[in-house]
Amino acid sequence: MRFWDSSAIVPLLIAQPASESMAAAFASDPEIVAWWGSEVECTSAIERLQREGRLRPLEVASAYQRLEANVTSWQEIQPASRLRKIAERMLRIHPLRAADALQLAAAVIAADGSPETLPFVTLDDRLARAAEREGFPVVEPA
């Protein structure tokens, strides 16, 4: 089982330079734990790419089909006051954006106090450094 940040999930949905390495990471351990807001972040990425003209309608439809298949199979960390408090702490000690702090807080909850036991999959360098400082083994593209 691994915690997947939305930056790493998007290449599973849409062909991108990191798609091959993320698909390999997924194939080696297909059990995903994700933050409750990851589906919204993935939707945002799909729609942004469509607005920019980088995705055709069939690619958009395919991306949403893959997203739905993933969402129904992954374990999701729900929003709660504990998650918010951890995210606020993350913002005070790491140079993160709010959504990234929520991702990292969700991983902390998923790891149940033992971050060294839960690999963290991300393509975001800033989030990767914060996750490493919190004790997570970070899985980055090959």
Side-chain angles (χ1 to χ4, degrees), residues 75-93:
Q75 180 183 359
E76 199 170 77
I77 304 301
Q78 298 295 312
S81 60
R82 179 174 176 226
L83 182 119
R84 183 177 56 246
K85 292 293 181 195
I86 295 169
E88 289 169 352
R89 182 179 69 80
M90 296 300 163
L91 290 168
R92 286 191 293 276
I93 60 177

Side-chain angles (χ1 to χ4, degrees), residues 90 94 96 99-108 120 127 130-131 134 136:
M90 296 300 163
H94 301 292
L96 296 172
D100 291 338
L102 288 163
Q103 293 270 7
L104 188 53
V108 167
F120 191 100
L127 184 53
E134 289 296 320
F136 289 94

Side-chain angles (χ1 to χ4, degrees), residues 23-53:
F26 178 73
S28 71
D29 186 350
E31 193 171 346
I32 291 177
V33 179
W35 171 51
W36 169 86
S38 292
E39 184 176 5
V40 175
E41 289 189 315
C42 290
T43 298
S44 175
I46 293 166
E47 292 303 321
R48 179 181 46 79
L49 292 169
Q50 181 179 22
R51 281 190 297 276
E52 293 172 354

